[in-house]
Amino acid sequence: MVRQKFAALTRRFAQDRRGHVAMIFALSSVGLIGVTGLAVDYARGSQAKSSLFFAADSAALAGARLVGTAAEREEAAKQVFEANLNQSEHDLTKVAMKPENIVKDGRNYGFRVTASADIPTTMSRILGHQDLSVSTFAEAIGVLTTPTEVVLALDTTFSMTGWKIATLKDAATKLMDDLKPLALDPDKLKFGIVPFGQYVNIGVSNRNQPWANVPPDSSTPNTSCKMEKQVIGWTNCKQVWVPPQPAKPPGTCFNDGVPFSCGGSPAKAGFFQNQCHPVYGPDKEVCKTWTTTAKWNGCAGSRNYPLNTQDGSYGTRIPGIMNITCGTEILDLTTDATLAKARIQALTPNGETYIPAGLIWAWRMLSPQAPLSNAATRTSAEPVRKFLILMTDGLNTKSPNYPTHNGSNGALSNQLVKEICKNISNDKANAITIYSVAFDVNDVPTKELLKTCALDTGGQFFDAKNSADFLAAFSKIGMNISELRLTK
C-alpha cells in the first residue's frame, strides 16, 4: 500500500511542469529586464544629449556674441553652459566643456564649444553598463551673406566737443572694423555717414541736382550816397570828468545747450576828456561801396511741412541755405570702409541740435529713390538688410522756420522726430531697422523719443551714460547686425 502511494506521488511530480516555468521565467527575466533597461536608459540618454546639445549651442552663441577678449568670451560661454545644465533635469556626471575662441585676420570671428558627459544608468546596470557617454560639438560665427547697408546719423554739434567726439570716432571706426571682415563678398556691405547739427551738409556737388533748389553763388557790388555835414573845426573845448565805472560780471550764454560765460567788462578808472562843439562847413555828398555775396556751402534746409517728414514728392525741391556753414559733408553709401572711416575721423563739432535733419537724410540715404541713389532696392529675389544708427548727446535746441532751422521750439522738433520715425517704420519697401543711442543725455523726453523710434522698427535703444557705455552700445549694435548663426 505504501509502495503504491509512493509510485503515484512520483508519477504526479514527473508530470508537474509548474517548477520548470518558474525556473525558465527566472532565468529569462534577467535578459528581459536588461533589454528593457537598455531601452529606458537609451531614451534617458537621448534626452540628456539634447540638453547637452542645447547647452553647447547656447554657449557657442554667447561666446560669439560677446565683444571682448578671448578670456572674456570663454568665461561668458562657460557661464551660459553651466546655467543651462543646472536647469536640466538629467543627472549628468563627468561633465567636460572646452571653449575655443575663433580668430580670423586678427579679430574675433566666432566661437566653438566641445562638450561631453556621462549619464548613470538604472535598469541596464544588471548587464554591466554603469554609464552612458554623450558628447557634442557646436560652433557659431558671424558672417554677412545678405546685402547689408548701415547708415550712421551722428550728432556732431558743439556739445560733442572734446571727449565725446573722440569716443564717437572710436566707436564708429570699431563698428566698421568689426563688420567689414564678416562680409564674404565686400560688395555686399555698405556704410553711409550723415553728420548733423542745425543743418546737414549734403555737398556743393549736389547744387544742380533736379531735386535741389539752390541759387547760384553771386557777388554784387553796392553803392549808397548821401549828403553829410562836414566838420571843419572845433570850438568851446573844455575838460570834462568821466567818473569811474565798476566792473560788470559776465552773463551766461548757450551754444547747443552748453552754458558759457559771455559779456561783462572790467572796472574803469575815472578820467578827464576833452569835449568840443563841432564847426560845420557846407554839406558834401559821401558815397559808400560794399559787396553783397551769396555763397552755398552745401547746407540743406527743409521743405514745408509735411514734406519735411516724408521721403518722396521731390518735385518740390529741397532748399539750399546760403551763407552758412554746417559741418562735415555726408558720405553716401559706399563699400569703401577706408573712405568711410576717414570721413568719421574728419568729424568736427559745429552748431546746435536739430535731430530731424539728420534723421530725414539718413532715411533718404537708405532709400533707392532720389535724392540719393546708392541704396539697393529690396526684392524677394535679393533681400537687403538696412540699418539706421541714430545718436545724439542732447535735446533739440533748434526748430524749423522754413526753409531755415533758426527757431527755438524744441517741442515742435520733437514732434517732427516722432513723425519721421513713424514714417520710417511704415516704409515697408525698405524695412529699415533703427538703433538709437542717447549719449550722456539727461532729458527724459528725448530718451523716450529715441527709444520709441527704435522699438517701432524692431530695433533697440541704448542709454549710454559715459564712454564705456557708448562703446559697448556700438559693439552690441555691430553684433546685432552681424548674422550670428550656428554652423555646426
Side-chain angles (χ1 to χ4, degrees), residues 45-60 81 85 92 94-100 112-118 133-139 486-488:
S46 296
Q47 294 173 355
K49 190 170 185 176
S50 296
S51 296
L52 193 69
F53 279 173
F54 180 78
D57 287 350
S58 299
F81 181 82
L85 286 190
L92 299 178
K94 298 180 182 179
V95 177
M97 180 268 203
K98 179 183 177 183
E100 182 182 356
R112 184 180 296 121
V113 170
T114 304
S116 62
D118 285 350
S133 296
V134 293
S135 62
T136 187
F137 171 74
E139 184 177 271
L486 289 166
T487 58
K488 294 180 181 180

Side-chain angles (χ1 to χ4, degrees), residues 99 121 175 188 201 256 315 424 478:
T121 58
L175 173 72
K188 289 189 175 182
N201 184 345
D256 190 37
I424 293 175

Side-chain angles (χ1 to χ4, degrees), residues 181-419:
L182 302 181
L184 298 181
D185 181 350
D187 292 334
K188 289 189 175 182
L189 176 62
K190 296 179 181 179
F191 294 106
I193 313 296
V194 180
F196 70 89
Q198 187 171 347
Y199 298 94
V200 167
N201 184 345
I202 63 174
V204 294
S205 62
N206 285 313
R207 176 194 292 276
N208 297 319
Q209 295 288 348
W211 46 262
N213 181 17
V214 184
D217 291 350
S218 62
S219 180
T220 306
N222 299 276
T223 301
S224 175
C225 298
K226 64 179 180 178
M227 300 301 291
E228 291 185 355
K229 293 181 178 297
Q230 300 299 300
V231 177
I232 60 174
W234 302 92
T235 186
N236 298 327
C237 295
K238 59 182 179 180
Q239 291 287 310
V240 177
W241 172 253
V242 178
Q245 298 180 9
K248 293 182 179 180
T252 301
C253 297
F254 293 86
N255 190 340
D256 190 37
V258 179
F260 63 93
S261 296
C262 61
S265 61
K268 295 182 179 179
F271 62 96
F272 284 97
Q273 75 175 15
N274 200 29
Q275 287 188 356
C276 302
H277 293 163
V279 178
Y280 295 104
D283 289 352
K284 181 181 179 181
E285 184 180 44
V286 177
C287 295
K288 296 180 180 180
T289 61
W290 72 95
T291 300
T292 301
T293 60
K295 183 179 181 181
W296 189 56
N297 297 306
C299 307
S302 289
R303 299 182 294 172
N304 289 343
Y305 180 84
L307 291 181
N308 61 327
T309 67
Q310 300 171 359
D311 176 34
S313 302
Y314 289 109
T316 301
R317 298 184 295 169
I318 301 169
I321 308 300
M322 308 297 285
N323 292 333
I324 61 169
T325 57
C326 49
T328 308
E329 182 180 336
I330 65 173
L331 177 67
D332 201 0
L333 284 165
T334 177
T335 58
D336 190 341
T338 301
L339 178 61
K341 289 190 290 184
R343 189 61 53 91
I344 290 293
Q345 294 305 313
L347 295 177
T348 303
N350 175 279
E352 299 202 37
T353 305
Y354 182 60
I355 299 173
L359 187 58
I360 192 72
W361 276 102
W363 182 14
R364 289 166 176 163
M365 190 172 285
L366 286 166
S367 174
Q369 66 175 334
L372 304 175
S373 58
N374 285 355
T377 300
R378 296 177 70 252
T379 66
S380 56
E382 185 69 15
V384 181
R385 303 163 68 236
K386 296 174 181 281
F387 300 94
L388 194 165
I389 302 174
L390 171 66
M391 65 76 46
T392 182
D393 76 328
L395 66 167
N396 283 301
T397 58
K398 289 296 180 180
S399 61
N401 44 9
Y402 307 98
T404 65
H405 307 155
N406 293 329
S408 57
N409 187 345
L412 171 59
S413 297
N414 285 352
Q415 180 60 33
L416 293 174
V417 171
K418 183 177 180 180
E419 290 187 37

Side-chain angles (χ1 to χ4, degrees), residues 393-394 439-447 463:
D393 76 328
F439 189 12
D440 190 33
V441 175
N442 296 317
D443 184 66
V444 174
T446 297
K447 290 196 283 190
D463 186 6

